[in-house]
Amino acid sequence: MSTSAMVVFPNCKINLGLHITHKRADGFHDLETVFYPVALTDALEVLTAGELQFTGSGISIPGDSGENLCVRAFQLLQQDFPALQPVQIHLHKHIPIGAGLGGGSADGAFMLQLLNNKYQLGLSEAQLIAYAAQLGSDCPFFISNKPCFATGRGEMLEPIALDLSAYSMLLVYPGIHVNTGWAFRQLTPAVPLYSLKEMIQLPVSEWRGVITNDFELPVFSEYPVLAEIKEEMYRQGAVYAAMSGSGSAIVGLFPKASLPDVEWDSSYKVFKIR
């Protein structure tokens, strides 16, 4: 059992296509989407301590620190492992919050894995996924952290063969926080004509207008600047561009080593992933 500090780097994800297919009796929605991991990360450090503590740096983290998914992940495991020693948690936040990139979910999932490794709990991937599902719908993805076709609330995962290494990625976040509850209320669930699981196997050059996100229509109507960012990416040579999740980050795929040198608004957060 380790008492030394341990550091991990939770990465974000993008949604490639997103369809809301059904409103469930429990109030949640069934969906289908493709999750793809992206090398834009936070930094999470954990050190054995006398009491549970949480501190943050980087992007300001709103809300009660006791509700942070890293803290909740520790408390979740402590229920089943009462001997788990308290820890001091420090999260350096770099992934934009409320952007549709799953940064908070990644932090919670990586916390579970870190504690499993640090304290040698012996939890299998399947067990970690079960814990992650209790934290949030997107959390299980970050346990496997490989391209997946997701259904249910996003927690039912099927690995798929999808490799975007031939492309560079541009992520633009204009600082708009889209309320997820509001976004869902704008949609009428419907099963798409063609399964995203099949369409995602098309060449990336054929994704435009085919791999779609149901949230774009209402969110772009409310925040027209997001549609402008997407169209600017296409004007600059993107092979594919879309909003991730319920927004508001816009992602563009460009041929490798050909990211455009665009003067974006100075208030935007712009990430180039080559």
Side-chain angles (χ1 to χ4, degrees):
M1 180 177 291
S2 172
T3 58
S4 60
M6 184 175 284
V7 180
V8 292
F9 299 91
N11 62 274
C12 70
K13 57 80 181 168
I14 55 172
N15 294 79
L16 297 169
L18 177 55
H19 303 300
I20 308 304
T21 59
H22 179 69
K23 177 72 177 289
R24 296 156 41 137
D26 62 6
F28 289 100
H29 291 78
D30 284 326
L31 56 82
E32 66 167 27
T33 189
V34 169
F35 289 134
Y36 194 87
V38 174
L40 173 65
T41 71
D42 292 336
L44 175 63
E45 181 183 41
V46 168
L47 177 68
T48 301
E51 60 181 6
L52 180 60
Q53 303 171 52
F54 178 87
T55 56
S57 59
I59 297 171
S60 178
I61 304 170
D64 180 358
S65 62
E67 292 299 311
N68 186 275
L69 285 180
C70 296
V71 174
R72 289 175 54 198
F74 174 83
Q75 294 169 334
L76 186 63
L77 288 183
Q78 193 179 45
Q79 291 175 11
D80 291 340
F81 298 90
L84 201 61
Q85 294 176 266
V87 292
Q88 180 179 337
I89 305 165
H90 184 81
L91 176 63
H92 181 78
K93 198 71 188 153
H94 182 59
I95 301 168
I97 296 170
L101 299 174
S105 297
D107 297 334
F110 272 69
M111 182 69 176
L112 292 172
Q113 295 177 96
L114 184 156
L115 293 171
N116 185 45
N117 293 331
K118 180 177 176 64
Y119 294 117
Q120 301 172 19
L121 302 181
L123 295 169
S124 67
E125 181 173 302
Q127 289 172 307
L128 287 167
I129 286 174
Y131 280 113
Q134 297 180 60
L135 293 177
S137 300
D138 287 355
C139 292
F141 164 72
F142 291 102
I143 300 296
S144 59
N145 217 11
K146 298 174 183 177
C148 286
F149 175 66
T151 54
R153 293 185 291 118
E155 84 285 8
M156 299 174 64
L157 303 169
E158 180 183 341
I160 59 171
L162 180 61
D163 181 6
L164 298 180
S165 60
Y167 299 91
S168 294
M169 193 175 296
L170 181 65
L171 280 172
V172 176
Y173 174 60
I176 294 169
H177 183 89
V178 178
N179 182 283
T180 303
W182 170 87
F184 270 100
R185 289 193 294 274
Q186 309 312 304
L187 300 180
T188 300
V191 178
L193 290 175
Y194 302 100
S195 170
L196 179 60
K197 182 180 175 182
E198 298 174 7
M199 294 297 100
I200 202 70
Q201 299 303 326
L202 291 170
V204 177
S205 60
E206 297 178 22
W207 284 5
R208 184 174 183 174
V210 176
I211 306 300
T212 59
N213 179 346
D214 288 351
F215 285 109
E216 284 193 4
L217 187 61
V219 173
F220 285 5
S221 178
E222 187 74 9
Y223 305 103
V225 68
L226 300 178
E228 295 170 11
I229 293 170
K230 177 180 174 179
E231 288 308 310
E232 181 61 28
M233 286 190 180
Y234 277 126
R235 282 193 292 271
Q236 296 294 331
V239 178
Y240 176 74
M243 186 173 73
S244 183
S246 58
S248 63
I250 308 294
V251 58
L253 299 179
F254 293 80
K256 200 71 173 178
S258 64
L259 283 174
D261 189 17
V262 180
E263 288 294 325
W264 299 97
D265 187 295
S266 60
S267 67
Y268 295 178
K269 291 187 181 296
V270 179
F271 305 94
K272 296 181 177 181
I273 301 157
R274 292 180 167 87

